[in-house]
Amino acid sequence: MKPRPQSEKNTAPARRKRGFERTSSLLQKQIRKSAESRGFAVSRLITHWVEVVGEDIAKIARPVDVKYGRGSFGATLTLLTTGAQAPMLEMQKEQIRTRVNQVYGHAAISRVRITQTSPHGFADGKVTFQHAPKKTRVAPKPEQFDQAAKASASIQNDDLRTALANLGAKILSRKNN
């Protein structure tokens, strides 16, 4: 068998021997590199943002940047949000700082800054945050109308009785869903 030249040996891609792998494990190096370039020493802060701060805060804000000041202790976490949500987020700064520091394992973040645009310019700040999905309304079933009509049967005024029966049927349909 003829030996291969040195340059041919290193050209073959490395093979994995485990079969299928999770996408997160394949992308972990790229995510870490990107996160570290933006100041995030712990990439879990970005990838698990919903679990870190909670679903209600994650819907209205996302982490943009972590900056370490000269000679100061702790870093500043910059959060991106929309204008209408900034006052609500402002009141929750301390809670956010505490939760983020739990991810780091120590008091890495000393200050939380809220911005309505990206620190790099207005073009990056155009962000759409996920809104809560609209609830679909379910029409009341005939037996719910019957039950509501029985409850409002003692009302003398026909219009009021009909309105209360309709309202009662809608309330009963919500309770069952």
Side-chain angles (χ1 to χ4, degrees):
M1 194 153 126
K2 183 174 144 185
R4 288 193 285 177
Q6 183 68 20
S7 62
E8 270 186 52
K9 287 182 182 178
N10 295 335
T11 57
R15 292 186 54 134
R16 293 184 298 273
K17 297 177 174 89
R18 289 179 257 143
F20 289 107
E21 293 186 40
R22 288 184 174 185
T23 306
S24 62
S25 66
L26 295 173
L27 297 175
Q28 191 168 12
K29 289 179 185 176
Q30 289 88 352
I31 292 171
R32 183 178 293 127
K33 184 178 178 184
S34 173
E36 287 173 355
S37 71
R38 291 176 31 196
F40 291 98
V42 178
S43 61
R44 185 173 48 185
L45 184 62
I46 296 173
T47 58
H48 293 73
W49 180 244
V50 176
E51 289 88 11
V52 172
V53 295
E55 195 172 313
D56 54 336
I57 294 174
K59 285 181 184 177
I60 62 172
R62 73 174 195 193
V64 175
D65 187 29
V66 174
K67 295 249 188 219
Y68 295 90
R70 290 188 215 168
S72 65
F73 297 103
T76 300
L77 170 66
T78 303
L79 298 178
L80 177 63
T81 189
T82 58
Q85 300 296 335
M88 296 300 292
L89 205 57
E90 185 73 31
M91 292 187 293
Q92 298 176 359
K93 277 176 148 180
E94 187 59 32
Q95 177 186 359
I96 294 168
R97 190 182 70 78
T98 303
R99 288 181 176 183
V100 170
N101 283 333
Q102 288 174 348
V103 171
Y104 278 91
H106 63 286
I109 303 297
S110 62
R111 185 171 167 247
V112 176
R113 186 176 139 239
I114 298 170
T115 184
Q116 296 169 19
T117 61
S118 172
H120 307 294
F122 287 102
D124 293 338
K126 296 179 181 173
V127 177
T128 57
F129 292 97
Q130 297 174 353
H131 300 285
K134 290 187 177 182
K135 295 180 181 177
T136 57
R137 293 185 181 176
V138 179
K141 297 175 184 171
E143 52 269 5
Q144 292 168 334
F145 275 116
D146 294 340
Q147 186 179 358
K150 287 178 187 175
S152 62
S154 63
I155 306 296
Q156 299 295 324
N157 188 324
D158 292 337
D159 293 335
L160 181 59
R161 183 176 52 249
T162 305
L164 287 174
N166 287 335
L167 177 63
K170 288 179 183 178
I171 291 172
L172 289 172
S173 71
R174 285 188 182 172
K175 284 183 180 178
N176 293 338
N177 290 331

